[in-house]
Amino acid sequence: MAFTLEIGKKAVYFDLSATDGKIYTLDSFKDSKYLVVFFTCNHCPYVINSDEVTRKTAERFKPQGVEFVGINSNSKNTYEEDDFDHMVERMKEHQFPWTYLHDESQEIALAYGALRTPHFYVFDEDRKLVYTGRGVDSPRDPSKIKVNDLANALEELTSGKEISVPVTNPIGCNVKWDGKEKHWMPADACDLVW
């Protein structure tokens, strides 16, 4: 079995606290036509430098019924700034157009097979996975972006087309697993594309 959720698989259920003080489950987004779940955090330069590109993509596709949900699964014991209080501060400061959830137990990151921050998962109307991987080809330096894979996948999805590139390798920092050194990844976690 692959570490990362594979194309065609259903979205994994979650029940997590958000920065707005509410609890959200997968069902909280059932009225959204499409769902983008992405693993993110507060400290990673790949996240920080590409957040505005992600914001533009989220805003662009919101009218077509695409909802974005960010999940921070990083251990606060690896990076203090990845704790919940910093998540709340970050949302207050940046007002991102997505719900920001905290996966303190890291169970959801494991269930989805999140490899890096950011790592995107796009689900169709039936909540089946149609795209997984990177947002853009240069998240750390947006001035060098040539391809926005996430936007391309959403453009095809919302136009009723088949996703031409359903899998890419996420680019970013690895998820910070509790009790492990900061560059550790599970043994079966590997690139999605060779």
Side-chain angles (χ1 to χ4, degrees):
M1 191 174 124
F3 178 76
T4 299
L5 199 67
E6 294 177 287
I7 297 300
K9 298 289 186 188
K10 294 282 264 190
V12 178
Y13 186 81
F14 54 79
D15 184 342
L16 299 170
S17 300
T19 53
D20 63 6
K22 299 175 187 169
I23 303 279
Y24 290 85
T25 71
L26 182 62
D27 296 335
S28 303
F29 306 97
K30 67 179 186 301
D31 293 336
S32 302
K33 193 167 185 183
Y34 309 110
L35 190 65
V36 176
V37 173
F38 67 107
F39 290 82
T40 184
C41 67
N42 299 325
H43 86 276
C44 170
Y46 294 88
V47 167
I48 291 167
N49 293 345
S50 63
D51 266 339
E52 289 308 310
V53 179
T54 305
R55 179 199 299 274
K56 285 180 186 153
T57 304
E59 288 172 346
R60 176 181 162 195
F61 289 99
K62 191 166 185 62
Q64 283 99 308
V66 179
E67 183 91 28
F68 274 61
V69 178
I71 299 178
N72 177 14
S73 302
N74 275 3
S75 170
K76 66 182 179 193
N77 298 317
T78 309
Y79 281 94
E80 265 181 59
E81 58 266 50
D82 277 332
D83 69 10
F84 187 71
D85 289 342
H86 283 90
M87 289 173 60
V88 172
E89 279 174 35
R90 197 150 188 273
M91 278 301 275
K92 207 173 278 183
E93 181 186 347
H94 296 284
Q95 299 289 308
F96 293 122
W98 50 76
T99 305
Y100 195 14
L101 305 177
H102 191 210
D103 174 28
E104 190 169 13
S105 73
Q106 302 189 310
E107 286 173 23
I108 304 306
L110 273 174
Y112 277 80
L115 296 172
R116 304 195 172 274
T117 53
H119 186 166
F120 295 86
Y121 297 78
V122 177
F123 297 94
D124 67 12
E125 292 169 85
D126 299 319
R127 293 301 178 259
K128 286 187 178 168
L129 186 67
V130 295
Y131 173 81
T132 185
R134 67 191 189 187
V136 294
D137 62 346
S138 180
R140 193 162 185 164
D141 184 355
S143 71
K144 294 183 176 165
I145 292 173
K146 291 188 174 70
V147 182
N148 187 329
D149 292 279
L150 178 61
N152 290 345
L154 290 172
E155 180 66 46
E156 289 171 337
L157 178 63
T158 57
S159 302
K161 297 175 183 166
E162 197 170 321
I163 310 301
S164 54
V165 182
V167 181
T168 58
N169 289 321
I171 301 171
C173 302
N174 60 294
V175 173
K176 305 308 177 197
W177 300 100
D178 198 38
K180 304 291 185 184
E181 68 89 23
K182 60 185 173 185
H183 297 295
W184 181 86
M185 289 181 86
D188 52 349
C190 59
D191 283 348
L192 304 178
V193 181
W194 301 97

